């Protein structure tokens, strides 16, 4: 079981590092979207309302973040 715990810790560390690198490349609006998306279980429509933007804009943030992720 200790090995499984070490693997889990490594996965968490790798995920955290990847997210930190992605975060640095995002605009403030994209960071706001990411924070909402990762820390809550709300819909795109709800995120759009909270950020005072259209759903189309939220999908643009999502697409831009995905492109940045693929370049990491």
């Amino acid at each position: 079981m200790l090995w499984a715990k070490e693997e889990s810790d490594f996965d968490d560390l790798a995920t955290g590092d990847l997210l930190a690198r992605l975060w640095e490349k995002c605009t403030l609006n994209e960071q706001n979207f990411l924070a909402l998306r990762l820390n809550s279980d709300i819909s795109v429509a709800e995120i759009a309302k909270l950020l005072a933007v259209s759903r189309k804009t939220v999908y643009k943030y999502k697409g831009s973040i995905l492109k940045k992720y693929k370049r990491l």
Side-chain angles (χ1 to χ4, degrees):
M1 283 306 223
L2 181 59
W3 178 255
K5 171 79 172 117
E6 289 174 359
E7 264 186 44
S8 175
D9 290 345
F10 178 77
D11 290 344
D12 291 345
L13 179 64
T15 301
D17 179 59
L18 182 61
L19 183 57
R21 291 187 355 232
L22 178 60
W23 187 267
E24 291 173 1
K25 296 190 178 302
C26 290
T27 66
L28 180 58
N29 290 330
E30 292 166 346
Q31 289 174 351
N32 289 334
F33 165 78
L34 264 180
L36 288 168
R37 194 64 174 165
L38 295 175
N39 296 315
S40 60
D41 189 26
I42 60 176
S43 69
V44 169
E46 292 169 311
I47 291 173
K49 187 174 182 178
L50 287 170
L51 298 179
V53 298
S54 68
R55 289 184 311 171
K56 183 177 180 179
T57 298
V58 172
Y59 283 112
K60 285 182 182 180
Y61 296 158
K62 188 176 177 181
S64 178
I65 292 166
L66 185 57
K67 287 178 187 175
K68 292 172 184 182
Y69 170 76
K70 288 180 178 182
R71 287 189 294 232
L72 291 179

